[in-house]
């Protein structure tokens, strides 16, 4: 399915379950999303999602139970699991590169925005390693840098400024010119089936809410 239309479908469903009080709808979304994840994701990832979500879900349920409204607690817990598994169905098959490419090719988003987003996300691992290197270098001088230390953020900002220059040079070396028409290695299109899936799922959600 087209990444942008898939994201739109997820947002519509998320809004539906956010402003409705249907436990049945939450359970249906959770079960369908879980089945999807079983086929297209790893068991380790599924167990991780379910276990991590269990911690806030338990707190929410008992907080509502103490206040004497355990039914609302059940609603919030099922809504939470529906949100988590629904988001998992999107991220397990769709990459940020596909989303940015679809925004550029199908929805006329400026190329500089699409390539900037992809560049930022591709730097996440580099940023994590840079922070680890900064903290390690500080430890060698017997200085402890916590995540509240201004020095850590100052050094990280300096590194980011250097990366921004390197990223701009890399884009120029690949002949990126703002406003010029570009060719694409991976073509992303919108098919008729994408629209059919979008409207079918949204209509199915409304039917569950009504009946």
């Amino acid at each position: 399915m087209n990444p942008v239309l898939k994201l739109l479908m997820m947002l519509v469903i998320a809004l539906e379950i956010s402003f409705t009080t249907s436990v049945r709808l939450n359970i249906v979304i959770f079960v369908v999303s879980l089945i999807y994840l079983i086929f297209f994701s790893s068991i380790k990832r599924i167990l991780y999602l379910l276990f991590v979500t269990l911690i806030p879900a338990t707190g929410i349920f008992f907080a509502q139970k103490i206040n004497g409204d355990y039914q609302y607690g059940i609603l919030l817990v099922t809504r939470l699991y529906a949100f988590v598994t629904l988001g998992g169905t999107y991220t397990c098959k769709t990459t940020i590169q596909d989303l940015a490419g679809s925004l550029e090719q199908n929805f006329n988003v400026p190329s500089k925005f699409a390539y900037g987003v992809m560049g930022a996300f591709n730097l996440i691992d580099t940023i994590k390693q840079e922070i680890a290197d900064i903290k390690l270098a500080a430890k060698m001088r017997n200085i402890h840098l916590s995540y509240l230390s201004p020095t850590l953020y100052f050094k990280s900002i300096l590194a980011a400024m250097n990366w921004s220059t390197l990223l701009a040079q890399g884009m120029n070396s690949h002949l990126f010119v703002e406003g010029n028409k570009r060719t694409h290695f991976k073509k992303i299109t919108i098919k008729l089936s994408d629209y059919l899936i979008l409207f079918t799922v949204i209509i199915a959600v409304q039917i569950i809410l009504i009946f």
Side-chain angles (χ1 to χ4, degrees), residues 195-209:
Y195 288 110
L196 291 176
I197 294 173
L198 173 65
F199 290 113
T200 300
V201 171
I202 292 176
I203 292 172
V205 170
Q206 309 313 313
I207 292 175
I208 295 173
L209 282 174

Side-chain angles (χ1 to χ4, degrees), residues 110-127:
S111 298
K112 63 179 180 180
F113 174 79
Y115 284 89
V117 169
M118 286 191 286
F121 272 88
N122 288 330
L123 283 174
I124 290 178
D125 291 335
T126 306
I127 293 171

Side-chain angles (χ1 to χ4, degrees), residues 34-153:
L34 189 61
I35 293 173
Y36 183 91
L37 288 172
I38 290 173
F39 281 100
F40 296 104
S41 187
S42 64
I43 297 298
K44 182 178 178 181
R45 177 183 172 86
I46 296 172
L47 293 176
Y48 176 79
L49 288 175
L50 297 178
F51 177 75
V52 171
T53 310
L54 181 63
I55 300 172
T58 303
I60 291 171
F61 176 76
F62 282 104
Q64 294 300 322
K65 188 176 181 180
I66 291 173
N67 292 328
D69 194 358
Y70 75 95
Q71 290 184 343
Y72 189 65
I74 294 175
L75 171 65
L76 293 180
V77 168
T78 56
R79 181 183 292 170
L80 178 62
Y81 270 100
F83 276 134
V84 171
T85 52
L86 185 65
T89 60
Y90 187 84
T91 57
C92 76
K93 293 288 289 183
T94 307
T95 64
I96 189 65
Q97 288 82 4
D98 291 337
L99 177 60
S102 179
L103 287 171
E104 181 200 7
Q105 297 177 38
N106 307 135
F107 295 90
N108 298 320
V109 171
S111 298
K112 63 179 180 180
F113 174 79
Y115 284 89
V117 169
M118 286 191 286
F121 272 88
N122 288 330
L123 283 174
I124 290 178
D125 291 335
T126 306
I127 293 171
K128 291 180 179 179
Q129 184 60 48
E130 181 67 22
I131 291 175
D133 292 343
I134 293 172
K135 294 176 71 174
L136 180 60
K139 283 184 179 180
M140 295 176 66
R141 299 193 302 273
N142 199 27
I143 300 174
H144 175 70
L145 294 179
S146 68
Y147 286 103
L148 298 179
S149 301
T151 303
L152 178 63
Y153 293 99

Side-chain angles (χ1 to χ4, degrees), residues 158-173:
L158 291 179
M161 292 173 64
N162 182 46
W163 293 333
S164 65
T165 303
L166 295 175
L167 180 61
Q169 291 175 352
M171 293 177 71
N172 288 333
S173 67

